[in-house]
Amino acid sequence: MFDSIQRTWTWLFLNIHIVFAILIVFGIGCLVGTIPIIQNFPFPIGYDSINYYLPTLYDLNSNPNIGGELFPVYVFLVYIFYLIVFSDLYFAYNAVNIVLYGSFGVTTFFLIKNVLRQSVDKSILFAIFVMFQLSTLRMEWDLHRDILALVFLNLCLVTINNMKSLVTNKFVLLQYICISIIYVATIFSDRMIGSLLIVSSIFLSI
């Protein structure tokens, strides 16, 4: 256990610039997600928040079957977070959305750095550029399932790319398990992103 902790600290020391890059991108993403919530508080933002997410979350206790609707991963994520950390469901909903957009920025950073093989500085700039696009800003308002699916999609692509550098069967098996879990989570997060992942996988396998 001591050796694993020592290796972790050694990795952090050697890759301190990557750690700072992650914190910068995550912080900017969380800030972007926080500003509209503060401006509109206590009112929710977006059509889907009022007509789908919040009613579904508030009804989940009284009607557990509602969680069995199509593509429920986001709803379960918010509700589990609410049960573990928060006493107010609306605050939990906003907190998850803020962290989710920050996570989207981080996974975009890794996608650009590892898959497209750009430098850390360029990856930071590209990730910030993507987060400030009008389409992604629109998604951040109330299309939270799409953001979650994009996070899973980015993680899936980064994990597949990292498999090329593995040599031991132990880590290859672990990577296959991780990819399978992320793959399923992507499909059940959003139908559009899930379909895109399936079609891309079919073409890549040919």
Side-chain angles (χ1 to χ4, degrees), residues 9-155:
W9 280 108
T10 302
W11 184 90
L12 289 174
F13 180 77
L14 295 176
N15 298 275
I16 192 69
H17 59 295
I18 297 179
V19 175
F20 277 120
I22 294 171
L23 293 176
I24 290 171
V25 173
F26 182 76
I28 292 175
C30 291
L31 180 62
V32 171
T34 303
I35 291 174
I37 293 176
I38 293 176
Q39 288 181 333
N40 291 276
F41 191 83
F43 305 105
I45 302 171
Y47 177 86
D48 286 354
S49 297
I50 299 172
N51 290 279
Y52 174 70
Y53 296 122
L54 289 173
T56 302
L57 288 167
Y58 280 112
D59 289 343
L60 193 56
N61 273 330
S62 58
N63 183 16
N65 292 329
I66 201 170
E69 293 181 352
L70 201 58
F71 311 108
V73 175
Y74 171 80
V75 173
F76 285 142
L77 176 65
V78 176
Y79 191 70
I80 291 172
F81 189 74
Y82 153 73
L83 292 177
I84 295 174
V85 180
F86 285 86
S87 58
D88 185 84
L89 189 56
Y90 182 55
F91 280 103
Y93 171 74
N94 287 327
V96 168
N97 296 335
I98 292 171
V99 174
L100 198 59
Y101 202 64
S103 302
F104 170 68
V106 173
T107 57
T108 303
F109 166 80
F110 278 114
L111 181 69
I112 297 168
K113 179 182 176 297
N114 295 349
V115 179
L116 301 182
R117 302 186 183 280
Q118 298 296 317
S119 65
V120 174
D121 294 338
K122 288 183 179 179
S123 299
I124 294 174
L125 293 176
F126 275 117
I128 295 174
F129 176 77
V130 170
M131 286 190 295
F132 278 92
Q133 290 295 297
L134 291 178
S135 57
T136 50
L137 287 173
R138 170 62 186 90
M139 291 169 64
E140 194 276 331
W141 286 353
D142 63 342
L143 301 178
H144 305 302
R145 288 191 306 184
D146 299 70
I147 295 292
L148 179 62
L150 286 174
V151 170
F152 285 137
L153 178 63
N154 290 345
L155 286 175

Side-chain angles (χ1 to χ4, degrees), residues 143-205:
L143 301 178
H144 305 302
R145 288 191 306 184
D146 299 70
I147 295 292
L148 179 62
L150 286 174
V151 170
F152 285 137
L153 178 63
N154 290 345
L155 286 175
C156 191
L157 296 175
V158 171
T159 306
I160 292 174
N161 182 76
N162 289 341
M163 287 188 65
K164 300 175 183 178
S165 60
L166 297 177
V167 293
T168 60
N169 293 330
K170 176 182 177 181
F171 288 110
V172 169
L173 179 61
L174 180 62
Q175 288 277 25
Y176 274 117
I177 294 174
C178 290
I179 288 175
S180 300
I181 295 173
I182 299 172
Y183 202 101
V184 173
T186 305
I187 294 173
F188 284 97
S189 295
D190 180 75
R191 62 172 65 90
M192 182 180 65
I193 305 298
S195 301
L196 176 64
L197 180 60
I198 292 174
V199 173
S200 302
S201 302
I202 293 173
F203 278 104
L204 288 173
S205 64

